[in-house]
Amino acid sequence: MRDAFQLDRYLARIGHRGSLAPDMSTLTALQAAHVDVIPFEALDPLMGRPVHVDLPSVQQKLVLGRRGGYCFEQNVLFQAALEAVGFKVAGLTGRVRWRSAPDDPLGPRQHMMLLVEVDSSPYLVDVGFGICMMDAPIRLEVGPEQQTAMGTFRIGTWNGLYTVSAKQPTGWRMMYAFDLVPQIHADYVLGSWYTSTSPNVPATTTLTMERVSRSARYKLVNRRSVVEARDGEVVEERMIESAAELGRLIDEIFQVTPPVPVEDIWARTKA
């Protein structure tokens, strides 16, 4: 898979022209540029279209096409980029807890993220958690709050697993629980198939998009547009009133060319 990766095309896509050494400065710059330019979006699952997570398909869609993707696509792509630069990377999976009550049972492994080694220290790296995307790597260290440009995160433990939580206006919110068992590509094919086809997951029922710039977090949930500052503080929220307005938002803010007419997407959303 690495042999098929076109690093130059990826770097041009995200606009990175700085260092390419396998160090913290490069990792941080690549992650910030990636989430600013390649948004989270799950238009294909929403519209009943197949999602392919092999690297050539992901490159064609997210790098050569004007599209974003969801966690498996995003982190498959980012892992390939980091390995091409020279980073040591392991793919992991997580069990999403964002919408779960504390006593809800664990769900399936339906999220992908990365463990990256920098200067012999492990860092959690994730460019695909599409309701609170991380804009910088965080140390795999239990306890301390870790600030990024657009958020504050914390690694914890729960039921024998690691967790990562994000600070929100209402307090800390768990994103997902995970372990450190490396996954193979077949695990992601299975997880992506479930996440893109099950009627019980948000990707197939809810229009969700997110882009994180250096100063704002842009979110689209069905017909609600939200702009957030650091730690989820809402600075603007409005309802979208028409398919034409939705199309302009997808084009101008998220910089995505939809795979189907925007009227079809509008029909799948609800206020």
Side-chain angles (χ1 to χ4, degrees):
M1 290 179 64
R2 286 193 296 271
D3 292 340
F5 183 67
Q6 302 173 38
L7 179 61
D8 56 341
R9 301 292 293 269
Y10 171 78
L11 296 174
R13 172 80 163 100
I14 67 171
H16 179 79
R17 298 177 180 85
S19 167
L20 284 181
D23 56 24
M24 183 53 61
S25 176
T26 298
L27 177 60
T28 302
L30 289 175
Q31 185 166 348
H34 184 113
V35 299
D36 187 9
V37 175
I38 306 180
F40 176 94
E41 55 107 331
L43 292 173
D44 288 331
L46 180 69
M47 303 310 300
R49 294 165 53 90
V51 176
H52 303 289
V53 295
D54 60 284
L55 185 56
S57 296
V58 170
Q59 282 192 114
Q60 184 63 42
K61 179 179 175 181
L62 277 66
V63 177
L64 305 180
R66 193 170 181 262
R67 292 292 303 277
Y70 68 0
C71 69
F72 294 101
E73 299 167 288
Q74 296 275 9
N75 283 310
V76 162
L77 178 64
F78 202 52
Q79 179 173 1
L82 295 180
E83 289 178 341
V85 171
F87 287 97
K88 182 179 178 181
V89 186
L92 304 179
T93 51
R95 303 177 189 275
V96 177
R97 302 294 296 174
W98 187 263
R99 294 179 175 87
S100 302
D103 56 350
D104 283 350
L106 286 170
R109 295 177 180 265
Q110 64 182 89
H111 182 65
M112 177 184 180
M113 62 285 196
L114 307 173
L115 188 68
V116 182
E117 184 177 305
V118 182
D119 296 329
S120 300
S121 296
Y123 287 81
L124 182 68
V125 174
D126 188 350
V127 294
F129 190 76
I131 197 64
C132 186
M133 283 206 298
M134 296 169 61
D135 57 324
I138 61 172
R139 297 185 310 279
L140 188 67
E141 178 181 355
V142 174
E145 297 184 13
Q146 302 188 51
Q147 288 193 347
T148 69
M150 286 303 299
T152 306
F153 301 92
R154 184 174 66 190
I155 299 287
T157 56
W158 175 73
N159 283 356
L161 299 170
Y162 287 102
T163 64
V164 59
S165 301
K167 182 178 285 188
Q168 297 289 282
T170 55
W172 287 98
R173 188 164 182 174
M174 189 184 298
M175 297 163 61
Y176 47 84
F178 64 100
D179 58 32
L180 302 182
V181 177
Q183 306 294 293
I184 63 173
H185 188 70
D187 299 318
Y188 299 134
V189 173
L190 180 61
S192 180
W193 175 82
Y194 172 81
T195 302
S196 63
T197 61
S198 171
N200 301 317
V201 298
T204 62
T205 59
T206 305
L207 171 59
T208 305
M209 301 183 75
E210 183 176 3
R211 172 180 156 240
V212 184
S213 75
R214 309 305 169 104
S215 60
R217 186 183 294 272
Y218 301 94
K219 292 184 177 181
L220 175 61
V221 180
N222 282 330
R223 300 180 182 179
R224 183 168 59 95
S225 171
V226 180
V227 181
E228 295 178 351
R230 161 179 280 281
D231 295 333
E233 178 189 357
V234 175
V235 296
E236 178 184 305
E237 183 172 1
R238 62 184 176 88
M239 297 303 297
I240 301 166
E241 301 297 337
S242 68
E245 184 181 355
L246 175 63
R248 287 193 297 272
L249 187 69
I250 292 174
D251 176 59
E252 296 172 6
I253 298 299
F254 298 98
Q255 301 166 12
V256 163
T257 300
V260 298
V262 71
E263 291 80 9
D264 293 352
I265 300 172
W266 178 258
R268 287 281 289 145
T269 67
K270 53 188 176 182

